[in-house]
Amino acid sequence: ATLPISQGGRLHYDRQQATIDLLKLQEDRENISTKLSQQVISIFERASLSYPKIKLSDNAAEYAMKSYEIVQDSYSHGVVSITQLLDAQQAAVQANLYASVSIYTYLIDVLNLQRAIGQYFILAQQEDRANFFYRLEQYIENQQNTNQQ
């Protein structure tokens, strides 16, 4: 056995420094893991909120189009002014645009979710993709039911 007297406690210092570095790395790992979990939950919540907007915006577009048709019929009979007709037309166009945007917003949210969890189901087999979206829709519906109660 040899004693490294000439190093003056250097081995002890190196060991303590390595222990401190290890604890710091473990803490950093826990922080990153927590932040990643929070990011996934946040993105998932965003996706679960954007999904119902698709149906709501489709309904709004449908009713705006019906309203426009009624105003258009009224205009052809001379009951309403051109301004009212243009306002109804503008509302129908805006509602249709919002309906389209809501679909793309949901798809972007789903892609962001897939990015956050590190799996792109868009590249997966049809069955795996369908399973993912089914589970996502089930979770969203459960969240909505929980929020309504």
Side-chain angles (χ1 to χ4, degrees):
T2 62
L3 279 167
I5 296 174
S6 63
Q7 292 188 0
R10 176 93 176 141
L11 291 176
H12 180 69
Y13 171 78
D14 288 346
R15 193 171 127 234
Q16 285 181 333
Q17 187 63 39
T19 303
I20 291 170
D21 290 344
L22 179 63
L23 290 174
K24 184 180 181 320
L25 289 173
Q26 288 173 341
E27 183 179 333
D28 289 347
R29 182 179 181 187
E30 288 177 20
N31 288 338
I32 290 170
S33 178
T34 301
K35 287 179 183 179
L36 183 60
S37 295
Q38 290 172 345
Q39 181 184 16
V40 168
I41 291 169
S42 173
I43 292 171
F44 187 79
E45 289 298 320
R46 194 175 322 134
S48 67
L49 292 174
S50 65
Y51 181 73
K53 289 181 182 178
I54 295 171
K55 185 171 184 165
L56 293 173
S57 61
D58 281 344
N59 288 343
E62 180 183 338
Y63 290 123
M65 189 53 98
K66 286 180 181 178
S67 175
Y68 171 64
E69 290 170 358
I70 291 170
V71 171
Q72 189 177 25
D73 186 51
S74 297
Y75 177 75
S76 67
H77 289 93
V79 177
V80 297
S81 68
I82 187 73
T83 306
Q84 291 171 317
L85 176 66
L86 292 174
D87 286 344
Q89 183 183 32
Q90 180 68 22
V93 168
Q94 290 283 4
N96 283 326
L97 178 65
Y98 186 72
S100 298
V101 168
S102 66
I103 293 169
Y104 291 114
T105 300
Y106 173 70
L107 292 174
I108 289 169
D109 290 342
V110 169
L111 286 172
N112 285 335
L113 175 64
Q114 291 177 19
R115 179 177 180 215
I117 63 176
Q119 292 183 359
Y120 289 97
F121 292 102
I122 205 112
L123 303 174
Q125 298 293 327
Q126 178 66 26
E127 182 179 320
D128 294 335
R129 197 174 5 183
N131 187 26
F132 172 76
F133 283 110
Y134 174 76
R135 288 188 325 221
L136 179 63
E137 288 176 8
Q138 292 299 313
Y139 179 81
I140 291 169
E141 289 175 8
N142 289 338
Q143 289 296 103
Q144 289 173 349
N145 291 338
T146 303
N147 291 339
Q148 290 175 354
Q149 295 174 357

